[in-house]
Amino acid sequence: MIQIENLTKYYGLLKAVDNVTFTVSKGEVVGFLGPNAAGKTTTLRIITGYFPPTTGKVRIGDYDVMDKPIEAKKMIGYMPENPPLYTDMTVKSFLTFAAKIRSIPRKIRKESIEKAIELSGLTNHVKFIIGHLSKGYKQRVALAQALLHDPEILILDEPTAGLDAKERMDLLNMIHEFIGKKTVVLSTHILADVEKVCNRVIIIHKGSIVAEGSYEMLSSSVTENDRFALTVLRNDDEVEQELRLIDGIINITRNQDNPKRFTVESIKDLAVKEKVAKVLVEKNYGLIELSPSRLPLEEIFIELTKQ
Ligand SMILES: Nc1ncnc2c1ncn2[C@@H]1O[C@H](COP(=O)(O)OP(=O)(O)OP(=O)(O)O)[C@@H](O)[C@H]1O
Ligand SMILES: [Mg+2]
């Protein structure tokens, strides 16, 4: 659905995006993750046709963004980093205005606006003046604006920046609903956001892609070891001692909130896991969980962007 090939963008002498290539398939919700100044906004602006790259190509569906900008833009809903909103308009009048600018035919305009309002959770706020809304609700208006023409693709540039926990969760839940229905690129530097809604992550750092894939793939790209979680009902201190005696175990950490839950890092060898299960069952510690675990995204991110 989105194909980006060898994208490079210079601002004067500064190379903000350096030979970036990736694709996003239909129905995927992809996290575009990177620290400040990584080149996220620049890449997204090129995808949306806001400005051209210095070199490289972007295809949206069947269209090249530079050759067929109008056709490509029709397929995209864009929520920019600091969404421009007319703060003295009401939600409804702003969306009506945006629908007219989008040239949404009069016949379906009302219905399009209502659908966008519903998908963005604004049903009870249509008469509010935008300037009086909380930051979270302003973001919802920006999302509604991006959804008006029912685009196949949504490009969301840090939609959760500056939101409190509740508003962040609400917005992420809305984005989560798009999985399988729309193709979404969500840029953020909040790791928990991508963890919640994205099925794939692309990590950009200093203009270059440093990693791409599912969490499992990213995790195995920075560590060779296996990780698993286990929970027991009894004698957690003794359990820790027993685990430390098993060959192949590299590290054991206890959950801060629940000392009976352990995260174990071991060499990649099923025999180690089998031994762990055997010891815990034989000693009757009440093993109630043994499940695969992965490196926290936080650690993967720091590992991949530390050079
Ligand atoms: N219009 C511009 N003119 C000159 N330099 C720019 C411009 N826009 C961005 N830059 C620079 O390009 C680099 C990449 O910026 P970009 O905004 O794409 O990063 P980002 O990953 O979106 O960062 P953030 O997390 O802070 O939003 C930065 O060094 C930035 O200062
Ligand atoms: Mg940015």
Side-chain angles (χ1 to χ4, degrees), residues 18 33 51-52 65 88 142 173 201 221 225 258 285 294-295 298:
D18 185 5
L33 193 66
F51 50 44
V65 171
D88 50 1
N173 286 334
V201 195
S221 74
N225 304 329
N258 175 11
Y285 292 130
R294 55 182 159 75
L295 213 55
E298 200 90 39

Side-chain angles (χ1 to χ4, degrees), residues 81-206:
E81 200 165 20
N82 297 301
L85 299 170
Y86 290 111
T87 49
D88 50 1
M89 287 176 110
T90 65
V91 171
K92 187 75 177 274
S93 55
F94 172 73
L95 292 174
T96 306
F97 169 69
K100 284 181 189 161
I101 291 186
R102 267 276 172 199
S103 305
I104 295 175
R106 183 185 280 271
K107 259 201 298 193
I108 58 162
R109 204 181 289 154
K110 190 161 174 273
E111 186 191 325
S112 307
I113 294 168
E114 262 154 29
K115 194 166 169 215
I117 285 171
E118 191 195 320
L119 286 173
S120 317
L122 284 167
T123 310
N124 297 323
H125 291 76
V126 283
K127 291 187 179 150
F128 278 59
I129 303 279
I130 294 174
H132 297 173
L133 293 172
S134 67
K135 175 114 206 245
Y137 274 83
K138 285 192 187 110
Q139 290 297 83
R140 290 181 190 211
V141 177
L143 179 65
Q145 166 276 129
L147 288 167
L148 278 173
H149 57 301
D150 193 21
E152 285 184 56
I153 297 171
L154 275 179
I155 305 289
L156 311 174
D157 195 354
E158 303 214 28
T160 61
L163 303 191
D164 70 29
K166 163 84 170 62
E167 293 193 330
R168 230 185 85 220
M169 272 307 140
D170 288 348
L171 196 67
L172 289 173
N173 286 334
M174 286 168 215
I175 296 167
H176 194 259
E177 288 293 305
F178 298 134
I179 293 182
K181 297 175 197 149
K182 296 204 182 287
T183 306
V184 183
V185 180
L186 165 84
S187 104
T188 179
H189 51 246
I190 306 172
L191 304 159
D193 284 5
V194 287
E195 210 158 11
K196 185 161 165 48
V197 295
C198 303
N199 20 41
R200 190 158 64 93
V201 195
I202 296 169
I203 300 183
I204 183 168
H205 181 48
K206 293 188 177 159

Side-chain angles (χ1 to χ4, degrees), residues 11 14 16-17 34-43 45 51 81 157-158 189:
Y11 294 114
L14 174 81
V17 173
N36 288 136
K40 302 182 296 293
T41 297
T42 303
T43 306
R45 283 181 170 166
F51 50 44
E81 200 165 20
D157 195 354
E158 303 214 28
H189 51 246

